[in-house]
Amino acid sequence: MPTFHIEMFEGRSVEQKRQLAAALTETTCKVLGVEPQSVDIIFHDVKPENWATAGKLWSDPR
Amino acid sequence: MPTFHIEMFEGRSVEQKRQLAAALTETTCKVLGVEPQSVDIIFHDVKPENWATAGKLWSDPR
Amino acid sequence: MPTFHIEMFEGRSVEQKRQLAAALTETTCKVLGVEPQSVDIIFHDVKPENWATAGKLWSDPR
Amino acid sequence: MPTFHIEMFEGRSVEQKRQLAAALTETTCKVLGVEPQSVDIIFHDVKPENWATAGKLWSDPR
Amino acid sequence: MPTFHIEMFEGRSVEQKRQLAAALTETTCKVLGVEPQSVDIIFHDVKPENWATAGKLWSDPR
Amino acid sequence: MPTFHIEMFEGRSVEQKRQLAAALTETTCKVLGVEPQSVDIIFHDVKPENWATAGKLWSDPR
């Protein structure tokens, strides 16, 4: 039943998501002993203007 | 105070969201004994390329 | 694939969660035309000291 | 390590997000005694048709 | 309508949460021009064994 | 900046979380080309009575 929510900056390609989903699922099944069918992964693409670290938006110069 | 986050594939119509919000709120009020005003529902539209089950993106052929 | 996260105050009984899960799933299947098997619901029990509205914790007198 | 997820209606300007991120981070550091670098804030812009209160979408007349 | 989810390590006192909720709400109302009543804040207390950065749990020596 | 939220049934050992965090971070860095320091993973332990699939709690007999 593991369900992943992964927030990351927008701009990753579908191919990167495809590889990431496959690899994360395989790893999870090995470590937790669960079936692939039970693993859901949801990606959230985040714009740099919607993410701040240390009080500064990532769309701003650092 | 119940607050719902509902992730589902993009493509549902506003009419479907309208019906769903009304029906889910009514059900929640009946079962939990809360007032409608206390129920918030937030929908998250997810692209098939952003959701994977069993390590495979839903935008890919299954 | 609809996945629900429902945050509500702790203290609801298992029987209330059982009824709520059954009813919300039935409603969702009717409105969206999806199969019950595709609906996941995750409840998050929240302590009143962990929820604030209008700047005031719900564990405090209102 | 505090990580904020803030859901709000779409339409806020980048300047509002910039000010909000700076002020929320400063407040958090003061109250919790953490370093700014440890505070992450992620904004989620929500369309009015994706948020319901009391069973009614915010895109509908109230 | 802004709704905050704040994940932070467990161990903060109710007094810290009380101060944080009040100050974050005040800041949000000023910057966004919303009413206090519309701001919800939910804290999630996270155990160090449930949070990893750089692949290492925070319950482990760094 | 990728931030993971992973919901799974309670009962996994700290050693399983340690292995999972290390492996997921390594995989993410390889596929996305990011630094380990930028990857945060937060686990959420969920009781079976708080998770339903197909309208039935996982604490109930299936």
Side-chain angles (χ1 to χ4, degrees):
Chain A
M1 287 293 121
T3 299
F4 288 56
H5 298 84
I6 304 180
E7 290 160 313
M8 54 186 189
F9 284 138
E10 62 180 8
R12 268 65 188 240
S13 68
V14 174
E15 180 54 30
Q16 282 179 306
K17 293 174 181 175
R18 184 180 289 121
Q19 286 181 28
L20 195 53
L24 295 177
T25 300
E26 189 185 350
T27 295
T28 301
C29 292
K30 269 189 209 157
V31 176
L32 298 185
V34 297
E35 293 299 308
Q37 187 59 35
S38 74
V39 182
D40 274 277
I41 297 177
I42 304 173
F43 295 110
H44 298 264
D45 300 317
V46 182
K47 296 182 190 177
E49 72 173 61
N50 276 342
W51 199 319
T53 304
K56 188 181 284 217
L57 302 181
W58 283 93
S59 53
D60 286 341
R62 303 190 91 76
Chain B
M1 286 295 118
T3 300
F4 288 57
H5 297 83
I6 303 180
E7 290 159 313
M8 54 187 189
F9 284 138
E10 62 180 10
R12 268 65 187 242
S13 68
V14 174
E15 180 54 29
Q16 283 179 306
K17 292 174 182 176
R18 183 179 291 122
Q19 287 181 27
L20 195 53
L24 296 176
T25 299
E26 189 186 348
T27 294
T28 301
C29 291
K30 268 190 210 155
V31 177
L32 298 185
V34 297
E35 293 297 310
Q37 187 59 34
S38 74
V39 181
D40 275 277
I41 297 177
I42 304 173
F43 295 110
H44 298 266
D45 300 316
V46 182
K47 296 182 190 178
E49 72 173 61
N50 276 343
W51 200 318
T53 304
K56 187 181 286 216
L57 302 180
W58 282 93
S59 53
D60 286 341
R62 302 190 89 78
Chain C
M1 287 292 121
T3 300
F4 289 55
H5 297 82
I6 304 179
E7 290 159 313
M8 54 186 189
F9 284 138
E10 62 179 9
R12 269 67 187 237
S13 68
V14 175
E15 180 54 29
Q16 282 179 307
K17 294 174 181 174
R18 183 179 290 121
Q19 287 181 27
L20 196 53
L24 296 176
T25 299
E26 189 185 350
T27 295
T28 301
C29 291
K30 270 189 208 155
V31 177
L32 298 184
V34 297
E35 292 298 309
Q37 187 59 35
S38 74
V39 182
D40 275 276
I41 298 177
I42 304 173
F43 296 110
H44 297 265
D45 301 316
V46 182
K47 297 181 190 178
E49 72 173 61
N50 276 343
W51 200 317
T53 304
K56 188 181 286 217
L57 303 180
W58 284 92
S59 52
D60 285 342
R62 304 190 89 77
Chain D
M1 286 292 123
T3 300
F4 288 55
H5 298 82
I6 304 179
E7 289 158 314
M8 54 186 189
F9 284 138
E10 63 180 8
R12 269 66 187 239
S13 67
V14 174
E15 180 54 29
Q16 283 179 306
K17 293 174 181 175
R18 183 179 291 123
Q19 287 181 25
L20 196 53
L24 296 176
T25 300
E26 189 186 349
T27 294
T28 301
C29 292
K30 269 189 209 156
V31 177
L32 298 185
V34 298
E35 293 298 310
Q37 187 58 36
S38 73
V39 182
D40 275 277
I41 297 177
I42 304 173
F43 296 110
H44 297 265
D45 300 317
V46 182
K47 297 181 190 177
E49 72 173 61
N50 276 342
W51 200 318
T53 304
K56 187 181 285 216
L57 303 181
W58 283 92
S59 53
D60 285 342
R62 302 190 89 78
Chain E
M1 286 292 118
T3 299
F4 288 56
H5 299 83
I6 304 180
E7 289 159 313
M8 54 187 189
F9 284 137
E10 61 179 9
R12 268 66 187 238
S13 67
V14 175
E15 180 54 30
Q16 282 179 307
K17 293 174 182 174
R18 183 179 291 123
Q19 287 181 26
L20 196 53
L24 296 176
T25 300
E26 189 186 349
T27 295
T28 301
C29 292
K30 270 189 209 156
V31 177
L32 298 184
V34 297
E35 293 297 310
Q37 187 59 34
S38 74
V39 182
D40 275 278
I41 298 177
I42 304 173
F43 296 110
H44 297 265
D45 301 315
V46 182
K47 296 182 191 179
E49 72 173 61
N50 275 344
W51 200 318
T53 304
K56 186 180 287 215
L57 303 180
W58 284 93
S59 53
D60 286 342
R62 302 190 90 78
Chain F
M1 287 293 119
T3 299
F4 288 56
H5 297 83
I6 304 180
E7 288 159 314
M8 54 186 190
F9 284 138
E10 63 179 8
R12 269 65 188 238
S13 68
V14 175
E15 180 54 30
Q16 282 179 307
K17 293 174 182 175
R18 183 179 290 122
Q19 286 181 29
L20 195 53
L24 296 177
T25 300
E26 189 185 350
T27 295
T28 301
C29 291
K30 270 189 207 157
V31 177
L32 298 185
V34 297
E35 293 299 309
Q37 187 60 33
S38 74
V39 182
D40 275 277
I41 298 176
I42 303 173
F43 296 110
H44 297 265
D45 301 315
V46 182
K47 296 181 191 178
E49 72 173 61
N50 276 342
W51 200 318
T53 304
K56 187 181 286 216
L57 303 180
W58 283 93
S59 53
D60 285 341
R62 303 191 90 77

